[in-house]
Amino acid sequence: MTRKFLFLPLLLLLTSLTLRADDKPAYRLFTAVGKAADYYKMLKELAAADVVFFGEQHNDPMAHWLELQVTKDLLRLRQGQLVLGLEMFERDVQPLVDQYTTGELSDKEFEEQSRPWPNYATDYKPLLQLAKQQKFRVVGTNVPRRYASQVAKGSLAALNELPASEKAWMAPLPLAVDYELPGYKNMAKMFGGDAAHAAGVQNIIQAQALKDATMAHFLNQARPEGHLLLHLNGAYHSDNHDGILAYLRQQNPKLKVLTISTVSQEQLSKLDKENQQKADFVLVVPQDMTKTY
């Protein structure tokens, strides 16, 4: 009788584990070559880097949840030596970001003045609240969107007449653009790079380059020696170690940089070929995952 009672809990435990293994996964992690990756092993590698780029799909809830977990865990592993960089805030609102995370601004004041993205409350506010609680720095790295818009309409030349006070919110000018970078070549294809549209497409690429170069410039400035900078951005800005990373390598080639990219797939059992090599680690979420907008 005693053996029966001892065996029953063991049987229930084994059944429970089997059921868990058959549960529908909300995400999977892979290495660049498509090998299944363990979250905690990935975390250990990320903690040894100087800069980590987490490339998200802006409306994907799994990426936003995992960004929060990675931030908490890296903060612990690096013993507080962490800086968080965000594409989602522009350089001219950095004083407001600082005032909010140090407790000088209320939620209402900050959200009224800092031009937060529409999905700020659900997707990025938890990160800023964590920074306020744990007292680590958050840096908005993006160029103010009005300047990127000017470039998209009239090329980088549109920035020449800006006063020095406004040029301070972007990467140093003049800005060199390498149109042969894979990401920029792909943009040319997406927007129709024929002769009739060449100037317009080049302007769009220049606007993207202005964002990439500005984010590289300010995240490099924001990282104190010995600290890890975790940067959150749209995946296209860091996929294939391109975009922001191309400009960061020019400024500081000795940095140890690792990347994560977020992709959607119909199946999660293996990494689709077209998603391999996008990043050092690839976060795969179901194609039909609920979106935040």
Side-chain angles (χ1 to χ4, degrees), residues 150-269:
Q150 287 176 28
V151 172
K153 293 172 183 174
S155 85
L156 284 164
L159 306 177
N160 290 341
E161 303 306 316
L162 291 176
S165 59
E166 294 183 49
K167 288 180 179 178
W169 294 328
M170 60 191 74
L173 300 174
L175 180 66
V177 180
D178 181 358
Y179 296 98
E180 293 305 306
L181 286 175
Y184 296 163
K185 287 177 79 171
N186 191 49
M187 286 180 71
K189 288 179 187 175
M190 285 193 295
F191 288 102
D194 56 85
H197 300 92
V201 173
Q202 279 202 354
N203 290 351
I204 293 170
I205 293 170
Q206 286 180 14
Q208 180 83 354
L210 178 64
K211 294 177 183 180
D212 289 337
T214 297
M215 287 189 270
H217 177 71
F218 287 107
L219 73 85
N220 187 47
Q221 277 193 352
R223 177 188 166 269
E225 188 67 31
H227 281 55
L228 168 60
L229 192 140
L230 172 62
H231 193 265
L232 310 186
N233 51 264
Y236 202 86
H237 286 290
S238 54
D239 276 356
N240 306 304
H241 285 244
D242 203 352
I244 306 171
L245 280 79
Y247 284 99
L248 185 61
R249 282 193 296 272
Q250 293 175 22
Q251 298 172 39
N252 201 337
K254 294 182 180 179
L255 289 173
K256 182 179 179 182
V257 179
L258 289 175
T259 60
I260 302 169
S261 183
T262 306
V263 302
S264 296
Q265 293 185 179
E266 286 189 13
Q267 55 79 32
L268 271 63
S269 59

